[in-house]
Amino acid sequence: PGYIGTMLLANGFCKKLVLADINPEAIRMQRKTIEKNKLEDYVKSYHSDVFDNIPNDEKFDLVVGNPPHFQLDHKVGNTKLGEINLKAYDPDWKIHEKFFLNVKNYMKPGGYVVLQENTMGGMDVNTFKNMIEIGGGKFVDWIPTKKINGYTNPIYYLVVQY
């Protein structure tokens, strides 16, 4: 429903915000949040599969996202993750590939992309480096999350510049 973006807006990290999701329920919740908080002058919400329904004239300094983290065959115990939670699936990394091939068209020069990723999905930074370069981006860094009570969190942040 736009938690990441609205927190960035609320804390002054941006003056305008564009939200997008393929899930119609997420869009409904985004629009409810926009209306309830009177953010119509500051926030746009698009129902879109990656950039399919984002107007070509939208240009960003920063794109932040939380894409699906798991391939089709990833299992939790004996159950395929997709049987539990379809929104976590990115079959053969096609969603990531589509994103990295198109994001440059929406970036202002020097802009950044920060994506939350998950090592439990069977990927590491190298999984995406080729996609990033083919799409015209420059891999900048990956930022692991901190250990909490000895537990290594599988979440990390991928940083790319265009």
Side-chain angles (χ1 to χ4, degrees):
Y3 294 130
I4 297 169
T6 52
M7 286 302 279
L8 291 170
L9 182 68
N11 286 286
F13 289 101
C14 58
K15 294 178 183 174
K16 297 273 184 175
L17 177 65
V18 173
L19 301 169
D21 206 294
I22 193 170
N23 183 334
E25 185 62 18
I27 298 303
R28 189 180 74 73
M29 294 306 294
Q30 288 172 6
R31 292 180 179 162
K32 187 174 180 179
T33 299
I34 292 166
E35 183 181 326
K36 183 174 176 86
N37 293 285
K38 300 179 181 10
L39 296 172
E40 294 87 354
D41 291 341
Y42 307 99
V43 183
K44 295 178 189 175
S45 176
Y46 295 103
H47 183 222
S48 186
D49 181 356
V50 188
F51 294 101
D52 289 354
N53 294 325
I54 308 293
N56 292 331
D57 61 348
E58 291 281 11
K59 302 296 179 198
F60 308 113
D61 296 307
L62 175 65
V63 171
V64 178
N66 183 13
H69 303 300
F70 301 98
Q71 292 216 28
L72 286 171
D73 58 356
H74 185 78
K75 289 186 176 183
V76 176
N78 291 325
T79 305
K80 285 187 178 180
L81 184 63
E83 295 169 5
I84 301 167
N85 186 354
L86 288 175
K87 67 184 175 188
Y89 256 171
D90 185 356
D92 299 320
W93 306 125
K94 293 298 182 190
I95 297 168
H96 280 79
E97 186 176 277
K98 183 176 181 179
F99 175 85
F100 286 123
L101 285 175
N102 289 285
V103 68
K104 184 176 183 177
N105 300 325
Y106 296 88
M107 298 301 296
K108 292 180 181 176
Y112 286 90
V113 169
V114 179
L115 297 182
Q116 179 178 304
E117 298 292 354
N118 186 327
T119 60
M120 287 179 63
M123 96 288 249
D124 61 27
V125 171
N126 293 316
T127 304
F128 303 120
K129 281 186 177 178
N130 191 46
M131 292 180 205
I132 292 166
E133 290 172 9
I134 289 171
K138 177 186 167 203
F139 170 78
V140 175
D141 202 358
W142 75 282
I143 304 163
T145 52
K146 297 179 181 178
K147 282 188 176 185
I148 300 173
N149 297 328
Y151 170 73
T152 301
N153 190 328
I155 300 297
Y156 69 92
Y157 298 92
L158 179 65
V159 182
V160 180
Q161 187 174 31
Y162 288 87

